[in-house]
Amino acid sequence: MKYIAPITQMSINGTTASSSNSISCGVQSLTLSVPTPTTNPSSGITYSWFLPSGWSGSSTSNTINVTTSAGGSGNIVVQAQRNDVSCIQESYLIGVTRPAVGTPTITGLPTASLCVNDYVLLDGSATNAITYTYTTTGALNTLLAIWTSAAIQATSGGSSGTVTLTVDNSCLSPKSVTGTIYVGPPAITSATVDWLPLAYPNYINNPGFLTINVNNAVGSSTNWTLLNGSGNIYYAGQNQVSVCLSVYAG
């Protein structure tokens, strides 16, 4: 009977690895090795190495020099096989993680519309982040960005805009979050009559239930008026009313 002993450990740059190992971000060179297992009867051994996606390196010995990708992670597996048989082999596996950035958050987004030329101070945070980049669209402009913070100004370019925070580190796996900021007075975006889209003319039950939607309801108020006829308006909630019209029989 031919025997090969189990592989019981692996080293990374001379340090014994655990089942899960964190390796810093960025492209770098590593030396991986395993002890030579005992064979009985004595036999030469061929080693096969399997690396995470994006890593490079090749060896048939118990030591391999590899080049990592910037942020790739996964498993490292080595298989050792006796040279005198094809079916007796031992394998060993370790896991590798990289400290990629987490999903960012933005604090300070306003809950009400900004006036033109007003600005707001935002601050971002994310685990493992080294770079913070703010970009804006629409009626917003980045006045100043320093490290995790930015001053975002409202312009006359429209009624709203977006601000996006993108974070990254040397793992080169950026993540982003986007928020909307409204500019100027709220604008009506849609209306319903008895839960149906607004039409001309509208036919309602009596009372009828009317709603409007605005581009930023926070901090806004509504004022409803009967332009013709008579009846009563009863406020039913923010941007919602019921209308009871007076009906006269002729």
Side-chain angles (χ1 to χ4, degrees), residues 20-238:
S20 180
N21 306 270
S22 179
I23 295 178
S24 60
C25 294
V27 177
Q28 55 190 287
S29 297
L30 303 175
T31 299
L32 313 175
S33 62
V34 294
T36 301
T38 301
T39 57
N40 187 20
S42 180
S43 172
I45 299 173
T46 298
Y47 299 82
S48 300
W49 292 87
F50 303 91
L51 305 172
S53 177
W55 292 31
S56 61
S58 179
S59 175
T60 57
S61 74
N62 66 327
T63 298
I64 182 174
N65 296 316
V66 304
T67 301
T68 73
S69 60
S73 60
N75 294 324
I76 300 172
V77 179
V78 60
Q79 292 180 344
Q81 181 174 309
R82 293 176 60 104
N83 290 341
D84 56 356
V85 292
S86 60
C87 60
I88 301 177
Q89 63 183 25
E90 289 292 336
S91 63
Y92 190 78
L93 177 149
I94 65 169
V96 172
T97 60
R98 314 295 289 278
V101 296
T103 300
T105 59
I106 301 176
T107 57
L109 287 169
T111 57
S113 296
L114 295 180
C115 294
V116 173
N117 295 326
D118 280 355
Y119 68 91
V120 63
L121 297 176
L122 305 180
D123 190 60
S125 63
T127 57
N128 300 320
I130 294 177
T131 61
Y132 292 75
T133 304
Y134 286 88
T135 56
T136 55
T137 65
L140 301 176
N141 179 54
T142 303
L143 279 179
L144 180 67
I146 301 177
W147 186 224
T148 64
S149 303
I152 305 297
Q153 184 179 39
T155 70
S156 58
S159 61
S160 68
T162 63
V163 55
T164 298
L165 169 62
T166 301
V167 297
D168 203 359
N169 61 15
S170 54
C171 273
L172 304 182
S173 297
K175 292 184 179 179
S176 300
V177 64
T178 297
T180 299
I181 297 176
Y182 294 96
V183 176
I188 297 175
T189 58
S190 64
T192 63
V193 177
D194 285 341
W195 299 278
L196 297 175
L198 184 65
Y200 298 95
N202 282 114
Y203 298 93
I204 67 171
N205 297 312
N206 199 15
F209 190 72
L210 315 180
T211 66
I212 61 171
N213 295 307
V214 298
N215 61 4
N216 187 12
V218 177
S220 67
S221 61
T222 58
N223 183 31
W224 300 71
T225 304
L226 282 173
L227 297 180
N228 296 293
S230 61
N232 295 299
I233 297 174
Y234 303 96
Y235 284 83
Q238 188 175 26

